[in-house]
Amino acid sequence: MAGKQPPKIEDFLEKRLIAATNEDLEKARAAFRAKLGRDEAALLNSCIHCGLCAEACHYYLSDPQPENLPAYKLGLVIKVFKRHFTPSGRLAPGWVGAKDLDADRVREWIDALFGRCSLCGRCSLSCTMGIGISSLIRTARGLLTSLDLVPSGLDSTVKTAVEKGNNMGIDREDWVETVDWLSEELRTETGDPEASLPMDKTGSRVLYTVNPREPKFFPLSLLAAARIFHAAGESWTLSSADFDATNYGLYSGDDEVSALLSGRLLKTAVALGAEALILPECGHGFNSNRWEAPEWIGRAHPVDVRSILEVTVDYVKQGRIRLDPARNPKKTTLHDPCNLVRLGGVAEEQRFLLKRAATDFVEMTPNREKNYCCGGGGGQLSMTAFADRRIKAGGIKAEQIRKTGAQVVATPCHNCIDQLLELNKFYKLGVEIRTVSEIVADALILDTPDRRD
């Protein structure tokens, strides 16, 4: 790569980079080092460049150039780590491949760490040294965030969530109006004049959260969850203030913002007296709030935190809802969201439900933790500067879908849905894209006595 020109970055990022002082860079390096524990520092000295991670990465498989190799992307971080935080890198940088964190290096980081990685973690399955590559790349993204060098779409998404309470900037009046409208729809569908989507109901067992894309663009996804809760006779509520289950701090690498966003949901759950915080079909929202939040916040969860999939499985096993698969006769396959399955550990619940809610369920190959990323995670959907790469990398997923011969693709993640909708159009797949809850809700047998509490 010697002599190669550094990649071009967005104009506003270039201006911010030029304005950054040596003191700014030094502070960012120090913050980066502070977030690396002993284990992470050891892993940054462990890559043996075996190249096995290449065959795990959808970016490399769809476009096999060196910059798309996971080892190359991690190598950019390792070079800076060695230069500034190891004796050999300080004394003889040329001998160990160490590089200063200068302006050209920052341009490479922005292009590779934000623009060529969805933080899906599949590369770590192939790593002979067990390096958590995506976790280290997230930490390095945090250095760029500390310099205010985050690509435009991701930056605005994070800031909107912090300032407005949700990443779509939905104001309270619109949110309440949407919920009122969906309550009317629920009463019409169920024939129950008492049916509703409760709001700010204290003492409810469950506080349910949403991906803001549901009220904004996919209200029927929220209605599907409401139909399931109603059928199960669940005691549940929404919050008028803190309802956003997403957490794009996970993607920007900003632990402080991540703690703020997850902390809001937990605080609201406690204030309403809920026993459980239930997360919607949002892969990174689940991983953030279920697994990462205790680390960010510095304490254990005060309430149970679970996925709507886990709760719905409970309802089926407890006989609180019954399903008729004949109501979903089309051949259906499943896309596993990386943050929910590989990084979140929820793999069998969606299969349990689809096998009972659809007559012809077929798996993609590979699946579960080995499933390929669709390309929509890591904040990629928000970063339009890298949209062409995202669609190209998604070609691996498109081919997986095509080989199943399925007419319907279910996926429990709204980021994945958005990406799959684009892949469906670009690669002419001709499939329907649905959430698992939508398919389950269509299969509900509503005359079960268990739904009448």
Side-chain angles (χ1 to χ4, degrees), residues 115-177:
R116 299 179 186 274
C117 179
S118 58
L119 302 179
C120 77
R122 195 170 191 272
C123 50
S124 295
L125 297 180
S126 302
C127 180
T128 53
M129 302 304 293
I131 302 173
I133 298 173
S134 61
S135 176
L136 291 168
I137 287 179
R138 179 186 180 270
T139 303
R141 283 187 177 191
L143 181 152
L144 298 172
T145 298
S146 71
L147 290 167
D148 204 15
L149 294 174
V150 181
S152 54
L154 179 57
D155 185 51
S156 63
T157 300
V158 172
K159 289 176 178 174
T160 299
V162 171
E163 295 167 6
K164 305 291 186 180
N166 64 87
N167 73 44
M168 301 292 297
I170 301 170
D171 62 36
R172 186 182 185 283
E173 183 179 0
D174 286 344
W175 168 232
V176 171
E177 186 176 310

Side-chain angles (χ1 to χ4, degrees), residues 7-55:
K8 183 176 173 55
I9 58 177
E10 292 177 274
D11 290 344
F12 84 100
L13 291 176
E14 186 66 39
K15 290 178 182 176
R16 289 180 183 177
L17 176 58
I18 292 172
T21 65
N22 288 334
E23 184 180 8
D24 293 331
L25 292 173
E26 179 57 35
K27 287 181 180 177
R29 286 194 296 266
F32 171 66
R33 182 64 185 90
K35 291 185 177 180
L36 294 173
R38 185 179 304 171
D39 292 344
E40 288 82 7
L43 290 172
L44 284 171
N45 285 300
S46 300
C47 180
I48 58 173
H49 307 288
C50 65
L52 291 178
C53 54
E55 296 303 314

Side-chain angles (χ1 to χ4, degrees), residues 109-416:
W109 276 35
I110 292 173
D111 181 77
L113 307 187
F114 279 116
R116 299 179 186 274
C117 179
S118 58
L119 302 179
C120 77
R122 195 170 191 272
C123 50
S124 295
L125 297 180
S126 302
C127 180
T128 53
M129 302 304 293
I131 302 173
I133 298 173
S134 61
S135 176
L136 291 168
I137 287 179
R138 179 186 180 270
T139 303
R141 283 187 177 191
L143 181 152
L144 298 172
T145 298
S146 71
L147 290 167
D148 204 15
L149 294 174
V150 181
S152 54
L154 179 57
D155 185 51
S156 63
T157 300
V158 172
K159 289 176 178 174
T160 299
V162 171
E163 295 167 6
K164 305 291 186 180
N166 64 87
N167 73 44
M168 301 292 297
I170 301 170
D171 62 36
R172 186 182 185 283
E173 183 179 0
D174 286 344
W175 168 232
V176 171
E177 186 176 310
T178 298
V179 170
D180 287 345
W181 165 64
L182 290 175
S183 290
E184 291 180 13
E185 292 293 316
L186 184 64
R187 286 190 282 275
T188 299
E189 288 194 11
T190 63
D192 181 353
E194 302 298 322
S196 70
L197 281 68
M199 184 78 85
D200 297 330
K201 185 178 177 183
T202 58
S204 299
R205 193 186 77 82
V206 163
L207 170 63
Y208 186 59
T209 55
V210 304
N211 183 312
R213 298 188 68 75
E214 294 178 71
K216 193 78 173 181
F217 303 116
F218 303 100
L220 295 184
S221 293
L222 176 53
L223 182 61
R227 289 167 64 191
I228 293 170
F229 285 139
H230 180 266
E234 184 59 271
S235 167
W236 71 292
T237 188
L238 298 163
S239 166
S240 62
D242 297 312
F243 56 85
D244 183 357
T246 69
N247 193 325
Y248 278 75
L250 177 72
Y251 294 149
S252 68
D254 190 330
D255 288 352
E256 289 71 28
V257 163
S258 299
L260 170 69
L261 298 179
S262 290
R264 286 174 177 170
L265 297 180
L266 294 165
K267 185 177 179 180
T268 299
V270 171
L272 289 171
E275 298 175 14
L277 175 69
I278 304 303
L279 302 164
E281 294 185 64
C282 177
H284 90 274
F286 178 82
N287 187 26
S288 297
N289 294 299
R290 176 66 184 88
W291 299 118
E292 301 291 348
E295 185 74 20
W296 294 329
I297 296 172
R299 62 178 181 274
H301 287 317
V303 298
D304 287 342
V305 178
R306 306 182 72 199
S307 162
I308 180 68
L309 299 176
E310 297 172 295
V311 174
T312 305
V313 168
D314 287 348
Y315 295 157
V316 174
K317 290 182 176 179
Q318 294 164 2
R320 295 171 67 177
I321 62 173
R322 291 189 296 142
L323 304 176
D324 178 5
R327 297 180 183 180
N328 290 301
K330 294 181 180 177
K331 189 174 186 178
T332 301
T333 191
L334 172 68
H335 164 63
D336 288 302
C338 305
N339 271 288
L340 183 72
V341 180
R342 185 161 43 249
L343 303 174
V346 177
E348 301 306 322
E349 286 78 359
Q350 49 271 48
R351 290 172 168 79
F352 176 95
L353 294 170
L354 289 173
K355 288 174 182 176
R356 287 160 178 78
T359 56
D360 190 5
F361 172 68
V362 59
E363 292 276 10
M364 291 186 195
T365 302
N367 55 61
R368 295 177 171 82
E369 76 278 3
K370 294 181 181 177
N371 194 35
Y372 286 109
C373 177
C374 66
Q380 292 301 330
L381 280 163
S382 62
M383 296 185 283
T384 54
F386 307 121
D388 290 345
R389 292 178 190 169
R390 168 171 59 80
I391 295 298
K392 190 170 187 176
I396 303 294
K397 176 56 57 183
E399 190 58 24
Q400 265 193 295
I401 293 171
R402 201 188 304 277
K403 286 180 177 177
T404 67
Q407 298 165 282
V408 178
V409 180
T411 186
C413 173
H414 272 280
N415 272 350
C416 294

